């Protein structure tokens, strides 16, 4: 449905069902199997629903590039194995990470609730999406969780000027008896690469500290930073955290670092291919004799935020979700044209 808000400006309004249908059509036309396309389209829809456009329909052209790249396996069927009572391994078979997570989730939940803690190692996966949908799903099953991945080597370490690290996101989920889970998900770079790319498309500038140009000089120009190197947030602290993620979601689980992922890509510019580490913990088992006391302590902590007007992470997303499920979303006609151009 077209909403003409001004003579020279046209926006496209879509229901969430239309967003998912559009995403599925594009992915299937690009050659992605139905099994792979379903979780990808759902995650794109979830991100649009929560007002995270940089991880929504905006990602579809890049998904098509990835699907058509030589290393990607469009009909990959993940192989789920059971190496120990507290470990699940999912070989994504060089398809997307999301189907592997979906197939491994029941075993991960069972093991976490049996042992108190369980680890899911996803290997050989292409990854384009936010991590919060995964930790939120675990939280809604009563589990605390951490998720992390490397990416491509786009980020210079603190004090350096050349890319070594990835944007290396970290996500955390905490279940709550009432209301939505406490969830955060952020890149360890000063800004997400998708946000820098969107700033470039919009002709905008970046805040100080986001990255350097190809000569290693600080820059506020999105195009220059994309051609040079991004920076970690928080100086040496962000660099240390990013390096930890490289190690835990790379060599620890037998998979690639961000630099190895970029080498594997070979200049094709597909989505990063690497591993993903998810750690799930059961508060009912770990919390001792009275888990309700622990839950009350957590709620007291959260109340310390809200009582002074501070916003908890994800509150804004949840509010936007409630609105978009009722009203749908709006995207630019230019983006809609880019996406429909991918269809026959």
């Amino acid at each position: 449905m077209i909403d003409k808000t001004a003579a020279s400006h046209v926006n496209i309004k879509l229901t969430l069902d239309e967003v998912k249908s559009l995403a599925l059509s594009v992915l299937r036309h690009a050659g992605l199997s139905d099994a792979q396309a379903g979780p990808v389209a759902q995650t794109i829809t979830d991100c649009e629903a929560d007002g995270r456009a940089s991880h929504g329909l905006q990602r579809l052209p890049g998904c098509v590039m990835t699907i058509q790249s030589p290393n990607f396996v469009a009909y990959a069927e993940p192989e789920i194995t059971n190496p120990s009572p507290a470990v699940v391994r999912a070989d994504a078979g060089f398809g997307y990470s999301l189907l592997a997570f979906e197939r491994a989730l029941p075993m991960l939940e069972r093991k976490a609730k049996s042992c108190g803690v369980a680890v899911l190692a996803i290997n050989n996966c292409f990854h384009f999406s936010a991590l919060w949908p995964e930790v939120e799903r675990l939280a809604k099953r009563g589990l605390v969780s951490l998720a992390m991945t490397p990416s491509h080597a786009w980020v210079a370490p603190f004090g350096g000027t050349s890319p070594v690290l990835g944007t290396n996101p970290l996500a955390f989920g905490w279940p709550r008896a009432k209301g939505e889970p406490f969830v955060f998900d952020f890149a360890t770079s000063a800004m997400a690469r998708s946000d820098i790319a969107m700033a470039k498309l919009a002709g905008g500038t970046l805040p100080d500290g986001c990255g350097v140009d190809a000569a290693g000089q600080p820059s506020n120009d999105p195009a220059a930073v994309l051609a040079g190197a991004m920076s970690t947030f928080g100086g040496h602290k962000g660099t240390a955290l990013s390096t930890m993620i490289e190690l835990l979601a790379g060599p620890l689980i037998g998979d690639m670092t961000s630099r190895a992922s970029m080498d594997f890509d070979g200049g094709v510019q597909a989505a990063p291919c690497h591993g993903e580490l998810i750690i799930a913990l059961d508060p009912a088992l770990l919390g001792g004799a009275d888990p309700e006391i622990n839950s009350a302590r957590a709620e007291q902590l959260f109340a310390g935020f809200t009582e002074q007007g501070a916003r908890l992470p994800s509150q804004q997303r949840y509010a936007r979700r409630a609105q978009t499920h009722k009203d749908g979303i709006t995207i630019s006609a230019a983006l809609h044209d880019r996406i429909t151009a991918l269809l026959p």
Side-chain angles (χ1 to χ4, degrees), residues 43-104:
T43 296
I44 286 171
T45 304
D46 290 343
C47 287
E48 288 288 354
D50 282 16
R52 298 301 179 258
S54 63
H55 287 73
L57 291 170
Q58 188 82 28
R59 294 289 174 115
L60 269 177
C63 287
V64 171
M65 284 181 60
T66 297
I67 293 163
Q68 295 173 347
S69 67
N71 293 323
F72 187 84
V73 180
Y75 279 75
E77 283 290 327
E79 181 182 356
I80 312 302
T81 54
N82 180 15
S84 84
V87 176
V88 184
R89 189 173 288 278
D91 186 335
F94 297 98
Y96 278 118
S97 62
L98 295 167
L99 180 61
F101 171 74
E102 191 172 88
R103 296 275 177 88

Side-chain angles (χ1 to χ4, degrees), residues 252-276:
L252 177 70
I253 62 170
D255 221 304
M256 291 186 275
T257 62
S258 295
R259 181 172 271 181
S261 176
M262 185 163 273
D263 289 343
F264 179 76
D265 180 73
V268 174
Q269 297 184 332
C273 181
H274 46 59
E276 178 177 353

Side-chain angles (χ1 to χ4, degrees), residues 192-211:
R193 192 167 181 85
S194 56
D195 290 334
I196 296 176
M198 289 180 71
K200 177 185 173 183
L201 286 172
T205 58
L206 304 177
D208 291 344
C210 286

Side-chain angles (χ1 to χ4, degrees), residues 112-113 116 141-144 174-175 280-288 290-291 294:
K113 290 182 176 178
R141 287 164 169 74
L143 296 171
V144 176
W174 178 277
L281 305 105
D282 183 15
L285 188 57
L286 294 171
D290 195 346
N294 300 321

